[in-house]
């Protein structure tokens, strides 16, 4: 029997309909479901679990029929639910083609009306009689898609307490089977892509604990993520009141390492559920304010020890249910993994005990590099492997030892298929504390806030107070890459510096491809050489120039005095030499050309972008549209959304996104809002503002005026180059992807992979092993790695659904940002970091993925983050709100250049703001005020000191 499959001739058919709980283990998930399997595991670990038995899924299949259902209503429900799941698993419950409640209700009715096979009823009677005459039992559902490591179905199927008598037990069993098809459970399974025909239900029948006190216990703090901090909610009577939320429970937090209670909060007036003689339960109202906790400190310590025993047995933090009977005996009645915890990062250089606790190296701190790059989605396995090699190249250049480049340098870590960096060393350094948070102030401001919060943590007290360590590593690298010469050239001969940079980038792009006729193994060699040695030198070759630009802006501010930063901001609008702006404006010019061609415009506005992309690949588009898109992709086709991941398609492979953006541009009808006009106006205003500042400086001395003019000229020449290092890196990564696709095509042709892009779910060692068998020489036959790829694709798909990504994590699992409380913000106001001045009130458009997104002119774009793949949307946006980012992050820079108000670092913006809701964005103070949704106009009104601000 497969995990979610119907029974075959194996275990399910041979086991019979009833098994004792003590005979169950984790390998029997498909036969007994998650709850029963976990109870069997607890018993095998010697933990106190009430005795009982389990009706296996074999009993369920005997009632409903397998592999094909014998109940017509159930067969119809299968077909309808499967059709909707194929159409859309992400928005299953809302799918208009199916009535989920109707299909689920028909399935429940069919099961409740089905006859019970004699073999099943006889087995239950025998097992129940063996427990004693009319013993009270709990009857609990145990689904095969329940209590899994990646999903919790807690509470979605029925439980019946204090059931007495075999006929009552059989009735409760039938009701449990029917509860597999509740509306909520049906929709939730489909949202995870679980086939409705492959899910069965086992039922646990367990001796009832007549609890004096009961509740739930987490062996890791579910709010902060801290591992081995035990959180206990307890109430008097049966645990049902606590689990259902009907009672305000006593709340305790216990340090799992010491057993010491660190927090206690007593509940108020509520209810308790008690068992009745002869079966059933009653609910009693309890007076509040007794002031007496329902658990003693010794009971809390015993509970904590028991919970950690369960965690150690399962190897992961557990969500448990427990009860203490009138004799004081403690029982575990359920245990399942806590599925909401974010994984703890594991780096090559830090020692940790299992579960992420601090080891010999003490507590470590990790920041999410993925979020710093504006990337919320996971990276593919090959994408991670590529960036490990680049990170190793960086560390090697800084003279850090890297024993195994494919594993990355010691600070590199991964968690949740995202990149984390161990920044404990700079956190404990006086120099690091001054530099790193300031970098993140302009890169990802909320991360900087969390960093500073850690300054107060004794675990990260300063141990290094001199810059010698930094200079020992950064100095030789700067000299090797001739950074001082580049800075001097930019200061003294800015034109020559730009010409030299242009030659460098052209030479780099012209040398990326391998020799003609290279085989798959040679292509892998070439790709690893590019990543391990060629890509990183781009950064020190380019970065000194934009650094000079921003340094010159700062110098001008010093010379002008009087806190001139607000007056300097307009100077860096409409910057030249910004490759991303040039790309966006090129796309706008293409849209204008298409608008003048009736056939092209009609095709673009009248067809779905995916269909247009197919027509483009087949050469069926109108001539002007085809030629224009072709020219654009020839130059920028290596770009993509989330482009640092080589596992994601480039625009040249999937042009639907670009075609959708072009269609969006054609909807902009007000010529005053044309992006090229806005950009040129911003550039003119910037030059005019620079002239005004120079004149003011000259009024305080001729030399000062000359210096301010030179500084502002270099600021405008070089600040726009900020985008170029990443652009060139992506050029290199585009070539890496192209070569890996050729390797994947060879493996697919040989039958080792289903399709070429499966290669991105391997790493370099696995791809090489597939090609050579470990000999280093090409082989004639290939091992089949399709099962490995399928598993990784499933893991990747689950990570795509993860919405919350911690910016900073500690090695004990604590998320510091979750501990911090906000203060000083008006009710209803969302606070972030100011990124682009001006105020706009307009309708919001929440966009989680820009591919295929439609943004009406003037709408406020609300996004988790942005990278260059998003920026074509900026041209028609009235404002920008981002969950990530700082004042100098990519989205903030582009928003300023386009003159749209922007606020970044707004926590949970995509959840708290809804599409169509009118919001007011104040990019000067960094606030977003949602209003009640209004279906009126989309265009808002922009105000502020920035002359380029617009709706």
């Amino acid at each position: 029997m497969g995990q979610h499959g119907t029974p075959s001739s194996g275990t399910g058919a041979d086991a019979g309909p009833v098994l004792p709980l003590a005979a169950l283990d984790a390998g029997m998930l498909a036969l007994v479901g998650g709850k029963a399997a976990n109870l069997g595991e607890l018993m095998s670990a010697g933990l106190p679990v009430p005795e009982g038995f389990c009706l296996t899924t074999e009993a369920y299949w005997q009632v409903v029929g397998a592999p094909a259902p014998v109940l017509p209503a159930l067969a119809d429900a299968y077909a309808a639910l499967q059709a909707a799941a194929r159409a859309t698993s992400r928005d299953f419950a809302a799918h208009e083609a199916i009535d989920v409640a109707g299909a689920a209700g028909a399935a429940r009715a069919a099961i409740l009306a089905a006859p019970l096979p004699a073999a099943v009823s006889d087995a239950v009677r025998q097992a129940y009689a063996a427990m004693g005459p009319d013993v009270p039992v709990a009857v609990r559902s145990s689904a095969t898609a329940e209590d899994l490591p990646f999903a919790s179905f807690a509470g979605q199927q029925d439980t019946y307490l204090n059931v007495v008598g075999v006929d009552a037990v059989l009735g409760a069993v039938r009701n449990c089977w029917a509860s597999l098809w509740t509306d909520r459970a049906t929709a939730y399974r489909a949202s995870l892509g679980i086939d409705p025909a492959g899910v069965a239900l086992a039922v646990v029948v367990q001796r009832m604990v007549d609890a004096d006190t009961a509740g739930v216990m987490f062996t890791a703090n579910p709010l902060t993520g801290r591992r081995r901090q035990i959180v206990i909610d307890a109430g008097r009577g049966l645990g049902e009141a606590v689990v259902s939320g009907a009672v305000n429970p006593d709340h305790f937090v216990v340090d799992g390492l010491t057993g010491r209670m660190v927090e206690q909060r007593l509940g108020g007036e509520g209810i308790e559920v008690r068992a009745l003689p002869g079966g059933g339960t009653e609910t009693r109202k309890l007076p509040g304010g007794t002031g007496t906790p329902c658990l003693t400190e010794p009971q809390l310590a015993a509970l904590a020890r028991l919970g950690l025993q369960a965690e150690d047995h399962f190897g992961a933090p557990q969500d448990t249910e427990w009860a203490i009977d009138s004799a004081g005996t403690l029982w575990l009645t359920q245990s399942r993994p806590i599925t909401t915890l974010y994984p703890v990062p594991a780096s090559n250089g830090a020692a940790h005990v299992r579960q992420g606790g601090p080891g010999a190296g003490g507590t470590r701190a990790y920041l999410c590099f993925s979020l710093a790059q504006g990337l919320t989605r996971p990276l593919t396995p090959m994408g991670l492997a590529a960036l490990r090699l680049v990170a190793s190249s960086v560390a090697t250049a800084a003279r850090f030892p890297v024993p195994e480049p494919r594993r990355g340098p010691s600070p590199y870590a991964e968690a949740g298929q995202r990149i984390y960096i161990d920044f404990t060393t700079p956190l404990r350094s006086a120099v690091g504390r001054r530099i790193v948070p300031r970098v993140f102030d302009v890169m990802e401001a909320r991360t900087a806030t969390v960093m500073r919060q850690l300054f107060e943590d004794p675990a990260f007290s300063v141990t290094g107070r001199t810059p010698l360590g930094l200079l020992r590593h950064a100095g030789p690298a700067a000299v090797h890459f001739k950074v001082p010469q580049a800075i001097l050239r930019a200061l003294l001969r800015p034109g020559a510096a730009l010409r030299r940079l242009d030659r460098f980038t052209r030479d780099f792009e012209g040398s990326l491809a391998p020799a003609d006729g290279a085989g798959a193994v040679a292509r892998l060699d070439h790709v690893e050489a590019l990543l391990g040695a060629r890509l990183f030198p781009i950064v020190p070759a380019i970065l000194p120039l934009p650094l000079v630009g921003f340094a010159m802006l700062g110098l001008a501010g010093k010379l002008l005095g009087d806190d001139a930063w607000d007056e300097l901001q307009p100077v860096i609008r409409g910057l030249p030499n910004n490759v991303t702006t040039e790309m966006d404006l090129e796309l706008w010019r293409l849209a204008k050309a298409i608008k003048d061609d009736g056939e092209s415009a009609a095709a673009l506005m009248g067809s779905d972008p995916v269909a247009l992309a197919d027509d483009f690949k087949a050469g069926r588009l109108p001539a002007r549209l085809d030629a224009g898109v072709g020219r654009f992709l020839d130059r920028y086709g290596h770009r993509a959304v989330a482009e640092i991941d080589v596992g994601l398609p480039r625009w040249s492979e999937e042009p639907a996104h670009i075609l959708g953006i072009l269609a969006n541009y054609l909807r902009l009808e007000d010529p005053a809002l044309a992006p090229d006009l806005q950009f040129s106006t911003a550039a003119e205003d910037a030059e005019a503002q620079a002239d005004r500042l120079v004149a003011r400086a000259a009024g305080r001395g001729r030399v000062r005026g000359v210096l301010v003019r030179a500084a502002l000229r270099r600021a405008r020449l070089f600040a726009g180059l900020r985008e170029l290092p990443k652009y060139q890196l992506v050029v290199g990564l585009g070539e890496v992807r192209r070569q890996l696709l050729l390797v994947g095509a060879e493996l697919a042709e040989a039958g080792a992979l289903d399709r070429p892009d499966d290669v991105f779910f391997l790493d370099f060692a696995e791809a090489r092993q597939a090609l050579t068998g470990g000999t280093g020489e090409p082989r004639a036959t290939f091992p089949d790695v399709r099962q490995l790829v399928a598993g990784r694709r499933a893991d990747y798909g689950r990570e795509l659904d993860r919405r919350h990504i911690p910016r900073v994590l500690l090695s004990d699992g604590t998320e510091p940002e979750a501990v911090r409380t906000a203060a000083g913000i008006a009710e209803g106001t969302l606070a972030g970091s100011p990124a682009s001045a001006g105020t706009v009130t307009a309708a919001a458009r929440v966009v989680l993925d820009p591919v295929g997104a439609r943004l009406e002119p003037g709408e406020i774009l609300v996004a988790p983050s942005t990278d260059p793949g998003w920026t074509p949307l900026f041209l028609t946006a009235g404002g920008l709100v981002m969950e990530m980012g700082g004042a100098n992050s990519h989205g903030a820079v582009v928003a300023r250049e386009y003159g749209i108000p922007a606020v970044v670092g707004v926590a949970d913006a995509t959840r708290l703001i809804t599409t169509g809701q009118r919001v007011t964005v104040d990019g000067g103070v960094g606030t977003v005020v949602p209003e009640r949704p209004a279906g009126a106009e989309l265009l808002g009104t922009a105000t502020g000191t920035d002359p380029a601000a617009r709706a």
Side-chain angles (χ1 to χ4, degrees):
M1 184 187 299
Q3 180 170 313
H4 300 137
T6 53
S8 63
S9 58
T11 308
D14 300 333
V18 170
L19 289 173
L21 289 181
L24 310 184
D25 59 47
M28 304 168 73
L29 178 65
L31 182 65
V32 299
K35 186 182 281 89
N38 289 348
L39 288 171
E41 288 285 339
L42 291 173
M43 283 182 159
S44 70
L47 299 180
V49 174
E51 67 167 325
F53 60 90
C54 174
L55 277 84
T56 68
T57 54
E58 171 68 16
Y60 175 84
W61 293 123
Q62 285 188 34
V63 173
V64 304
V70 296
L71 308 175
L74 196 59
D76 294 342
Y78 282 0
L81 295 168
Q82 286 166 336
R86 284 194 297 272
T88 169
S89 63
R90 294 289 179 89
D91 195 20
F92 177 86
H95 192 264
E96 61 184 12
I98 183 169
D99 176 8
V100 175
R108 289 195 302 272
I111 291 171
L112 289 173
L116 195 65
V120 172
S121 59
D122 291 347
V124 171
R125 291 180 187 280
Q126 183 177 353
Y128 179 71
M131 296 176 67
D134 288 339
V135 60
V137 294
V139 181
R140 295 187 170 97
S141 304
S142 181
T144 55
E146 178 180 55
D147 297 347
L148 305 178
F150 59 86
S152 176
F153 287 71
Q156 292 198 4
Q157 279 85 45
D158 286 351
T159 289
Y160 297 89
L161 301 179
N162 200 37
V163 180
V164 178
V166 69
D167 291 335
V169 168
L170 289 171
V173 166
R174 188 189 294 277
N175 287 333
C176 285
W177 284 336
S179 74
L180 181 64
W181 296 92
T182 62
D183 300 350
R184 183 175 63 151
T186 303
Y188 184 48
R189 286 195 300 269
S191 73
L192 294 174
I194 297 173
D195 184 354
V199 179
L201 193 79
V203 180
V204 172
V205 179
Q206 195 173 20
R207 182 181 292 274
M208 186 72 188
V209 177
D210 188 9
D212 182 61
T213 307
V216 298
M217 171 171 57
F218 295 87
T219 65
N221 193 315
L223 297 179
T224 67
R226 183 172 178 179
R227 299 326 195 246
R228 301 181 90 83
Q229 186 176 72
I230 316 301
V231 178
I232 299 170
D233 283 349
R236 303 188 189 280
L238 303 181
E240 176 66 18
V242 176
V243 173
S244 67
V247 65
N248 186 15
D250 289 354
H251 177 79
F252 308 92
V253 179
V254 178
D255 186 327
L257 297 178
T258 64
R260 184 175 60 88
M261 181 174 63
V262 296
E263 183 182 338
Q264 173 180 289
R265 185 174 65 247
L266 300 186
E269 182 177 347
I271 63 171
E272 69 173 355
V273 179
R274 292 285 184 179
L276 291 172
T281 61
E282 69 171 353
T283 301
R284 305 172 183 168
K285 190 170 183 179
L286 291 174
T290 64
T292 303
C294 60
L295 289 174
T296 65
E297 291 203 22
Q299 286 175 321
L300 286 171
L303 266 174
R305 287 193 299 271
L306 196 59
L308 291 178
Q309 285 179 270
E311 175 179 304
D312 290 340
H313 177 77
F314 288 107
Q318 295 292 296
D319 166 5
T320 68
E321 295 180 19
W322 55 271
I324 300 175
D325 63 22
S326 56
T329 304
L330 199 158
W331 301 92
L332 283 178
T333 58
Q334 190 165 305
S335 187
R336 53 180 169 261
I338 306 175
T339 60
T340 57
L341 293 175
Y342 197 85
V344 176
S347 67
N348 295 333
H352 310 295
V353 298
R354 187 161 57 88
Q355 301 306 326
T363 305
R364 313 295 297 181
Y366 299 88
L367 66 85
C368 186
F369 182 78
S370 290
L371 286 184
Q373 289 295 307
L375 190 63
T376 57
R377 64 185 296 144
L379 282 86
T380 60
M382 188 64 82
L384 290 168
L387 293 176
R388 285 196 293 270
L389 285 175
V390 175
S392 295
S393 174
V394 175
T396 300
R399 299 190 177 182
F400 288 102
V402 185
E404 298 180 51
R406 285 180 178 171
R407 293 185 59 193
S410 58
Y412 178 96
E414 293 173 7
Q417 299 174 34
R418 293 160 179 93
I419 300 173
Y420 281 79
I421 301 297
D422 184 342
F423 73 111
T424 311
T425 298
L427 191 59
R428 290 176 174 160
S429 158
V431 176
R433 287 190 172 196
R434 284 198 299 271
I435 295 175
V436 178
R438 291 180 182 178
V439 171
F440 276 84
D441 280 334
V442 296
M443 185 179 180
E444 217 295 299
R446 284 171 60 195
T447 298
T449 301
V450 181
M451 287 182 183
R452 292 187 174 98
Q453 179 187 343
L454 293 177
F455 290 176
E456 308 302 319
D457 191 332
F460 302 108
S461 57
V462 173
T463 58
R465 301 188 180 277
T466 70
L468 293 179
L470 175 65
L471 294 174
R472 185 168 62 249
H473 293 287
V479 170
H480 175 74
F481 290 111
K482 301 180 180 179
V483 171
Q485 295 95 311
I487 291 174
L488 283 173
R489 191 179 299 111
L491 289 171
L492 302 177
R493 301 178 60 203
L498 288 173
R499 290 191 295 273
R500 184 183 181 92
L501 179 58
D502 183 61
R503 287 195 300 272
F504 173 84
T505 55
R506 281 190 280 109
D507 291 344
F508 170 77
E509 292 177 20
S511 63
L512 288 173
D516 292 340
V521 174
R523 293 184 192 280
L524 271 185
D525 293 338
H526 180 73
V527 161
E528 292 199 71
L530 278 180
L531 294 166
R534 292 285 313 283
L535 293 194
F536 172 66
I538 296 167
V539 176
I542 300 173
L543 196 57
L545 273 65
L547 288 179
V548 166
F550 285 105
M552 289 296 97
L553 195 68
L555 175 62
K558 293 283 187 183
L559 292 169
L560 287 164
D562 301 325
D563 193 18
W565 176 245
D566 287 341
E567 294 179 281
L568 286 169
Q569 285 237 26
V571 175
I572 53 174
R573 298 285 172 87
L575 288 171
N577 303 316
N578 186 318
V579 66
T580 301
T581 303
E582 292 169 357
M583 176 189 73
D584 293 343
L585 291 175
E586 179 68 24
L587 195 58
W588 170 253
R589 285 188 287 270
L590 173 57
K592 288 204 302 183
I594 290 169
K595 197 169 189 176
D596 292 336
D597 180 66
E599 185 184 8
S600 295
L604 197 59
M605 296 296 288
S607 300
D608 176 81
V610 174
L612 285 171
D614 292 338
D615 288 342
F616 173 73
K617 294 174 185 177
R620 294 191 297 262
L621 290 181
R624 183 175 294 188
L625 178 58
D626 181 78
V629 172
R631 283 193 303 271
F632 180 85
L633 293 178
D634 284 344
R635 184 173 179 185
Y636 297 110
H638 61 281
R639 306 219 73 167
V641 176
E643 58 197 359
I644 65 170
D645 185 356
V646 298
L648 294 185
R650 312 289 106 169
W651 287 342
S652 57
E653 301 170 58
E654 294 185 0
H657 175 51
I658 293 301
L659 289 160
I661 292 292
L662 283 171
N664 191 51
Y665 286 176
L666 294 187
R667 298 186 182 97
L668 185 61
E669 297 179 354
D670 186 348
L673 299 180
D676 52 353
L677 177 61
Q678 292 287 331
F679 183 79
S680 62
T681 300
E684 291 169 6
D685 291 340
E687 296 288 355
Q689 177 72 352
D691 289 341
R692 285 191 291 269
L693 294 175
V694 168
R696 195 172 83 192
R700 298 170 60 185
R702 185 168 176 271
V703 173
R704 188 185 296 264
V706 170
L707 290 175
V708 169
R709 182 179 296 279
L712 293 183
R713 176 172 178 258
R714 283 156 180 78
R716 284 195 55 77
L717 271 179
F718 296 138
L721 293 170
R722 174 193 177 277
E723 297 288 313
L724 192 57
K726 183 177 180 181
Y727 178 88
Q728 292 297 131
L729 283 170
V730 172
V731 170
L733 292 175
E735 181 62 27
V736 167
R737 177 174 173 84
R738 190 173 75 87
Q739 297 302 322
L740 288 172
L741 278 172
L742 293 170
V743 172
E746 188 166 328
L747 287 169
E749 186 177 353
L753 299 176
D754 289 328
R755 58 190 204 221
D757 65 349
D758 281 348
V759 73
F760 298 111
F761 289 87
L762 305 174
D763 62 24
F764 289 107
E766 291 159 350
R768 192 174 295 275
Q769 175 75 17
L771 288 169
T772 68
T775 64
E777 297 295 328
R779 59 191 294 173
T781 58
F782 297 80
D784 189 343
V785 292
R786 288 178 293 186
Q787 187 172 357
L788 175 64
V789 167
R792 287 183 177 167
R793 280 192 179 275
D795 293 341
Y796 179 79
R798 285 190 288 270
E799 279 299 328
L800 279 173
D801 289 331
R802 190 189 294 273
R803 290 296 304 276
H804 177 66
I805 316 300
R807 282 169 169 72
V808 174
L809 273 173
L810 305 186
S811 54
D812 64 1
T814 300
E815 183 184 347
E817 192 174 19
V819 180
R820 180 167 58 95
T821 57
I825 302 172
E827 185 178 357
T829 296
L830 308 180
S833 298
S836 181
T839 302
V840 61
T841 299
R845 173 77 62 175
V846 178
V847 179
L848 303 180
D849 186 340
V851 178
R854 176 175 174 175
L855 188 72
E856 296 291 344
E859 286 185 317
I860 293 171
L861 172 62
V862 182
S865 65
T866 63
D867 64 10
W870 287 72
T871 56
L873 289 172
F874 285 29
L875 289 182
T876 55
L880 172 68
V881 177
M882 289 178 10
E883 292 181 332
M884 268 68 72
N888 205 29
S889 60
H890 170 81
V893 170
V894 177
R896 286 197 296 270
E897 292 195 9
Y898 291 170
I900 60 175
V903 179
V904 300
V906 181
D908 296 324
T910 60
R911 181 176 62 84
L912 298 174
I913 299 172
T914 58
T915 292
Q917 185 177 21
R918 290 179 66 81
V919 300
T920 297
V921 176
D922 189 331
V925 298
T927 59
V928 180
V929 182
E931 300 177 1
R932 290 184 178 180
E937 56 191 2
L938 293 173
L939 292 178
T941 303
T943 62
T945 59
D946 173 23
R950 63 181 176 85

